Each structure stands twice: as C-alpha cells, then as structure tokens.
Amino acid sequence: MRIAELLNQKRVAYEYLPHAPAYTAHQLAKYLRVPGEQVAKCVLLRGPISYFVAILPANYQVDTEGLGQVLNGPVRVADGREMSEVFKDCEWGVVPPFGGLYGLPTFLEASINPDTRLVMETHTHVEAVRLRCRDFEELEQPRRLHFVRQNKLGEPRA
C-alpha cells in the first residue's frame, strides 16, 4: 500500500510535497526549504534479531553502538542491496517511514516533539508528505527511544 493511500484511508491530514529528485534527507530539506529537524530521515537498520526502521531528524545520525546496547546485540546500517530486497515497491535507496507496512518494527527518536510537522519521503525520490508526528505515531505505533548523535559538520548521515 502506498503511503498516500494509507493516509487517505485512515483520514489523516497531510500535505503532498512533490520535489526535485532528492537522494538524501539533507537534499530534501534544501529543496523544500525546511529546517533539517523537520525532515524525518528514515534508515533501515539490521539489529540482533531482524531489520527495523529508525526515524530521526535529518541533521542527526544514528548511534548504532548505543542502539546495540539497548537491543542487546550489534546494530548496523543496511546496505543498498538489503534495502532493495526489503522495500521492493520503492525506488532504489528509499526507506519509507511506515515499517509496519513491511512487517518491520519502527523506532522513532524520542526527542521529536509529537506536535512537530514532519516531512517524510514516500516511495520515491520525488515525493514527500508532511504530517504531524502525533498522527504518524497513532498510525505506526513506533517505539520511542533516544538513538541519535548530532553530526559534527551538520551533514546528514545514517
């Protein structure tokens, strides 16, 4: 199911945001002229048991070591091949925010305010949606954890 279809079906208010091709959350923030903390970077991670989706502000990176301590085992960023196998209906390199649509758990960075309006990639590099974090949480039921560290240069990385 496409993200816009899910949001329409569940009657969630959102804004559709077509944009120039953006291959990173940093580019998406730049093209849409929004602060990095409002762009949700979605990262596919491999944990000790399975894959999961982590959602964090674009101007931060995942602390895989810290997550590994919480999850009692190693955590690493999935590679391109793994992403394309898990998200077969998405363009190469896209990690959609709704891991539940793919049978995956989703973790949300705990510092994101529930009232923040987040910009999230859909299934392509040219479409995004903006919705309230609270609405996203109601649909996806992610686990809230602190798992980020800020980039030294402000550059987005997984």
Side-chain angles (χ1 to χ4, degrees):
M1 174 181 290
R2 295 292 180 179
I3 291 172
E5 291 173 38
L6 172 68
L7 297 174
N8 287 332
Q9 182 183 48
K10 299 294 184 179
R11 300 175 193 245
V12 172
Y14 72 96
E15 183 181 356
Y16 174 71
L17 303 169
H19 54 82
Y23 299 99
T24 67
H26 181 71
Q27 284 179 330
L28 182 59
K30 180 180 172 184
Y31 293 157
L32 295 176
R33 296 186 172 105
V34 296
E37 62 267 7
Q38 290 179 13
V39 174
K41 175 168 46 177
C42 305
V43 181
L44 180 64
L45 298 169
R46 176 71 190 190
I49 297 173
S50 66
Y51 292 108
F52 61 96
V53 174
I55 299 173
L56 59 152
N59 52 335
Y60 287 83
Q61 64 184 29
V62 176
D63 178 2
T64 54
E65 195 173 298
L67 260 177
Q69 291 174 358
V70 171
L71 299 176
N72 298 315
V75 173
R76 66 172 175 78
V77 176
D79 63 31
R81 180 190 54 77
E82 291 170 306
M83 285 188 285
S84 65
E85 287 175 6
V86 173
F87 303 115
K88 294 178 192 238
D89 64 336
C90 296
E91 286 183 4
W92 191 91
V94 172
V95 175
F98 289 92
L101 291 176
Y102 299 87
L104 301 176
T106 302
F107 292 1
L108 178 66
E109 168 51 40
S111 64
I112 299 174
N113 184 314
D115 291 322
T116 298
R117 293 182 48 81
L118 294 174
V119 173
M120 302 175 145
E121 205 168 34
T122 60
H123 292 83
T124 73
H125 293 291
V126 296
E127 299 173 321
V129 293
R130 182 179 358 234
L131 68 154
R132 279 186 338 150
C133 182
R134 184 180 314 282
D135 293 332
F136 169 74
E137 287 186 88
E138 189 175 310
L139 285 174
E140 183 64 10
Q141 299 293 306
R143 180 175 171 188
R144 272 190 174 267
L145 288 173
H146 287 287
F147 58 84
V148 299
R149 62 178 178 237
Q150 190 157 16
N151 297 326
K152 291 182 180 175
L153 300 175
E155 300 257 339
R157 293 187 298 183

